[in-house]
Amino acid sequence: MKRLIVVSDSHGNAKSVEQLLPLIRENHYFLHLGDGLSDISAVLSECPKKTYFCLGNCDFYGGVADEGILEVEDVKIFYCHGHKYGVKSGLGILAKRAKELGCSLALYGHTHQAQVVEIDGVTLVNPGSLRYPVGEGGSYAYIVINGEKITAVVVGESVG
């Protein structure tokens, strides 16, 4: 059994990412799905081997990939920011791309709206935004993978 902490769209709110450090330390993987990659410096310093990230449409770094694939237990994960797959208009293109790549889990951000849905056998998870919260603290996703089983929950709340 492996546990993942997934965030997106921190947009300069490094403090919120740093507040998650105790949780990141005790879990197996940390993913940032773009728009705020400069906010993960502390995580990269402390937990470089468990940290994965990709560019968002507001990140401007050379040499950083737009998307990636990660295999955890028996689950192949496609992760991206989502803007190149039109996620503000629907999730069909993203689900199709994940399926083409043989992935049963797709992680994305961009919309600032947290959700967990399934389309055509692909579980799609958006952790919401750490920057634009309703109430306090924004949101992130906590995912447990046990063999082929995926359990994903959103912690906190965020707004589009």
Side-chain angles (χ1 to χ4, degrees):
M1 182 169 58
K2 301 290 184 194
R3 299 174 313 275
L4 299 79
I5 303 299
V6 183
V7 303
S8 189
D9 297 280
S10 52
H11 288 284
N13 192 355
K15 182 179 178 183
S16 286
V17 176
E18 289 167 16
Q19 288 174 338
L20 292 175
L21 260 170
L23 188 62
I24 293 166
R25 282 186 207 108
E26 69 183 32
N27 286 282
H28 299 99
Y29 296 90
F30 170 73
L31 290 93
H32 191 296
L33 304 176
D35 282 3
L37 291 185
S38 61
D39 304 331
I40 65 171
S41 298
V43 177
L44 277 173
S45 294
E46 287 196 40
C47 309
K49 292 182 180 177
K50 65 170 72 174
T51 301
Y52 297 82
F53 52 88
C54 59
L55 283 179
N57 60 303
C58 295
D59 292 317
F60 304 100
Y61 299 96
V64 177
D66 291 349
E67 55 194 46
I69 294 177
L70 175 64
E71 291 191 47
V72 177
E73 299 242 340
D74 298 326
V75 175
K76 195 169 176 185
I77 303 166
F78 176 63
Y79 63 93
C80 64
H81 185 61
H83 61 294
K84 293 188 173 184
Y85 295 94
V87 296
K88 286 188 176 180
S89 299
L91 300 177
I93 296 170
L94 177 61
K96 181 179 177 185
R97 179 64 178 146
K99 194 162 187 141
E100 287 171 354
L101 295 169
C103 299
S104 57
L105 176 59
L107 307 175
Y108 71 100
H110 190 54
T111 67
H112 297 189
Q113 295 176 317
Q115 69 174 347
V116 178
V117 297
E118 186 174 324
I119 297 175
D120 197 20
V122 177
T123 301
L124 297 108
V125 178
N126 185 327
S129 172
L130 278 179
R131 178 69 181 157
Y132 297 105
V134 174
E136 309 237 349
S139 66
Y140 63 92
Y142 178 76
I143 302 172
V144 176
I145 296 176
N146 190 359
E148 293 181 356
K149 183 176 170 145
I150 302 163
T151 304
V153 295
V154 173
V155 179
E157 49 184 328
S158 68
V159 66

